[in-house]
């Protein structure tokens, strides 16, 4: 008799059912683990023997092994890990995928591993890094946005370097690296304003819109000068402010300047409206 039955003077049916279900669940987990052990281990062993027997060495076996590691990272690893399951699963999947790319590159005699590796890390980081950062303890967990954007900035620089090295191009580091870093100024400004600025949401909205309005006129002229700095040529050299002519929409240059100027007016107007709402609006 359990203590609950003693106190309630009745049979604890729900507790017994829960205990039975828990035992069934643990038994199911054991069967799932052993089934995967047999499947992955048996497949690897058969491929190992066949590769040694046919080629008298290990060649394509590494493709099979790393491919099985990719599958096991998504099916077996989540069952084995008890804590930080999401981070461990994504980490294992990323590592096994990188090993599969390396094995494929070596097997095919290619030289594309660095480019593929950097691209995979950048793409997976964009999609799944927020899930990993969510499990960080304090105080790192309080800076997830900055850590995410910082990691993706480094991975983007690595991807640009790998792309330049693979294609033997002359655009890295100039103008590719400073252009990418300049383009990231605006999202960095948004993140820092939204996360750390000691102000209300309407003031933050106004600050983000104002930062965008300051950034927009600089895009074309900075890009022109980076191209010229690297020895390239530009057909039209933009000034550090728009040259609109709203009465003339006939050529591409004037059309572009007019559109950018109108976009800038919308951004500035929206920023002003947010400021007015913050100053004169009711506190909610």
């Amino acid at each position: 008799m359990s203590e609950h039955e003693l106190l309630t003077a009745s049979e604890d049916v729900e507790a017994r059912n829960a205990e039975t279900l828990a035992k069934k669940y643990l038994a199911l987990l054991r069967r799932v683990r052993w089934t995967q052990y047999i499947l992955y281990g048996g497949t690897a062993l058969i491929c190992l023997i066949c590769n040694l027997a046919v080629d008298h060495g290990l060649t394509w076996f590494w493709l099979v092994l790393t491919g099985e590691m990719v599958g096991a990272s998504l099916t077996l690893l989540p069952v084995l890990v008890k804590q930080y399951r999401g981070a461990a699963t994504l980490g294992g999947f990323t590592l096994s995928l990188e090993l599969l790319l390396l094995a494929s590159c070596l097997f095919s005699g290619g030289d594309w591993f660095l480019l593929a590796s950097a691209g995979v890390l950048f793409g997976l980081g964009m999609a799944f890094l927020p899930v990993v950062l969510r499990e960080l303890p304090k105080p790192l967990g309080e800076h997830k946005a900055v850590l995410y954007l910082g990691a993706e900035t480094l991975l983007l620089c690595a991807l640009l370097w790998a792309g330049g090295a693979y294609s033997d191009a002359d655009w890295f580091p100039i103008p590719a690296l400073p252009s990418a870093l300049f383009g990231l100024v605006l999202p960095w400004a948004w993140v820092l304003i939204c996360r750390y600025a000691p102000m209300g949401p309407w003031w933050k909205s106004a600050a983000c819109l104002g930062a965008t309005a300051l950034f927009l006129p600089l895009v074309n002229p900075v890009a022109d000068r980076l191209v010229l700095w690297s020895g390239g040529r530009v057909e039209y050299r933009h000034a550090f402010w728009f040259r609109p002519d709203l009465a003339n929409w006939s050529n591409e240059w004037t059309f572009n300047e007019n559109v950018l100027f109108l976009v800038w007016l919308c951004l500035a107007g929206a920023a002003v409206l947010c400021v007015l709402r913050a100053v004169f609006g009711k506190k909610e």
Side-chain angles (χ1 to χ4, degrees), residues 250-261:
S250 59
N251 60 76
E252 183 179 350
W253 170 269
T254 308
F255 185 89
N256 184 56
E257 292 292 301
N258 290 344
V259 169
L260 289 176
F261 179 68

Side-chain angles (χ1 to χ4, degrees), residues 42 46-47 58-59 64 70 78 80 88 99-100 102 107 158 168 183 185 198 208-209 212 248 251 262 274 277:
I46 293 173
C47 291
L58 297 179
T59 54
V64 176
V70 173
L80 298 177
L99 292 176
L100 176 60
L102 178 60
F107 180 75
D168 197 19
V185 168
C208 289
L209 290 167
T212 309
N248 180 16
N251 60 76
L262 293 177
C274 289
R277 176 64 175 81

Side-chain angles (χ1 to χ4, degrees), residues 84 129 131-144 147:
Y84 305 109
L129 191 56
V131 179
V132 177
L133 294 177
R134 192 178 303 158
E135 300 183 4
L136 285 177
K138 293 183 178 181
L140 291 177
E142 299 175 353
H143 307 283
K144 293 187 290 290
L147 292 174

Side-chain angles (χ1 to χ4, degrees), residues 148-164:
Y148 171 76
L149 195 55
E152 284 300 296
T153 299
L154 295 176
L155 290 175
L156 178 59
C157 294
L159 178 58
L160 291 173
W161 170 79

Side-chain angles (χ1 to χ4, degrees), residues 7-24:
L7 293 174
T8 59
S10 63
E11 185 179 2
D12 195 348
V13 179
E14 293 183 0
R16 294 178 183 273
N17 290 337
E19 184 178 357
T20 303
L21 291 175
K23 290 180 179 180
K24 290 182 179 180

Side-chain angles (χ1 to χ4, degrees), residues 15 55 121 136 196 220 234 257:
D55 297 330
L121 288 176
L136 285 177
Y196 298 107
N220 285 330
V234 294
E257 292 292 301

Side-chain angles (χ1 to χ4, degrees), residues 265-276:
L265 287 178
C266 293
L267 290 170
V272 172
L273 289 177
C274 289
V275 170
L276 294 176

